Amino acid sequence: AILSIWCKSCGFGESFYGIWVKDRSNTNTVFKMEEPMEEQSVDETSVKQPQNSEGDPKPAERKKLPSLLRPVVIVPSAVMGAISTEEYEMQYWPKLENAIVQLLTQTPGDYIPISYEQMYSCVYKCVCQQHSERMYNDLMSLVIGHLQRVSQELKNSPPDAYVERFNFAMTQYMQALGGIAPIFNYMNRFYVSSKLNTDLKEELQKLFTLHVADQHISTLFPMLQEAQNRPFAVSPPTMANIIKTLHSLKPDLAPQYPDLFARFIPNVLPQVSADDLPRIVEETRRWQQELLEREGFARGETSRKRSGDELQTKPTPLSFMPKNSC
């Protein structure tokens, strides 16, 4: 009786693998096993509903399940509240915009305290609430506006500081991409890569090429070529950084300025053959002569230098021999 009450309270019914039956003629209790009923797919219209005394169908009684076996339906809106357009504009995007501006304007080599976990959480929530396209367009507009201001500042720079300022702006932007791309990594995976078939970091690099590099190539490279003929007019690290970064952003510049790129990028010039050796020797001799004439380097008089033949070698004493040896 206790087992039957427990089965009914748990919702298993009396046919749960066995029924306890008490024989009235015998005081012993017998356990009768029954095979579990096979599930059969039947049409709902063909099932006869139970009827009351008046012949009207009774409403089907719902079978109760224990709390541990009841299915739990998780509604996304219950876990994560829906983000409206107004909430996106007033709460989520301002946080992201502030972080992006700080990354774009920080000095190269410095690192500002930004909670990447909080920024990534904002991007995650916005992507899950179908704000991916709006957030991507806002990011592109913000970066384009910044690059246009940078380009205008470079145009107003004096010639003697132009190359250094261009290198500073390019290094600053490339460092900022190292922080912006991880923040928007979730948007990049589920919107930029899947729907736009591109990569967020590549798109941001193209923006620098379009709005800054292409606008200053005609001014920058004549200055670099002039500095190439004047040693240390531009510091070697600055020159190397500009050439290598521009080559990664726009490789088609190398054929236009092969001599300049060949100093820092391998395999830019065509392969050298044996017929080119006399020309290379002549160019090397000419460069050495120009260096001596333009910069005033002199080799000095070498007649007073002592030659190796005039050196007299001193005899080395045999100190390992015993003093009283015969």
Side-chain angles (χ1 to χ4, degrees), residues 4-30:
S4 177
I5 295 173
W6 179 80
C7 292
K8 290 182 180 180
S9 64
C10 292
F12 296 114
E14 295 182 353
S15 61
F16 183 71
Y17 295 98
I19 303 175
W20 285 94
V21 182
K22 187 175 182 180
D23 190 358
R24 294 182 179 180
S25 61
N26 190 0
T27 57
N28 296 328
T29 303
V30 182

Side-chain angles (χ1 to χ4, degrees), residues 61-100:
E61 296 182 357
R62 185 174 181 180
K63 190 175 182 180
K64 295 182 179 180
L65 294 176
S67 58
L68 295 177
L69 300 179
R70 292 173 185 170
V72 179
V73 180
I74 300 177
V75 182
S77 60
V79 178
M80 182 186 303
I83 301 176
S84 62
T85 304
E86 183 178 359
E87 291 177 342
Y88 168 80
E89 295 175 352
M90 301 299 296
Q91 181 179 356
Y92 290 91
W93 175 247
K95 295 180 181 179
L96 296 172
E97 182 180 14
N98 184 33
I100 296 169

Side-chain angles (χ1 to χ4, degrees), residues 217-250:
I217 285 177
S218 59
T219 306
L220 177 65
F221 276 90
M223 292 185 177
L224 295 179
Q225 288 178 329
E226 183 181 357
Q228 182 181 6
N229 298 326
R230 294 185 295 111
F232 304 105
V234 177
S235 62
T238 300
M239 180 80 76
N241 183 60
I242 292 175
I243 297 300
K244 292 180 180 179
T245 306
L246 289 178
H247 184 264
S248 63
L249 295 176
K250 200 169 183 179

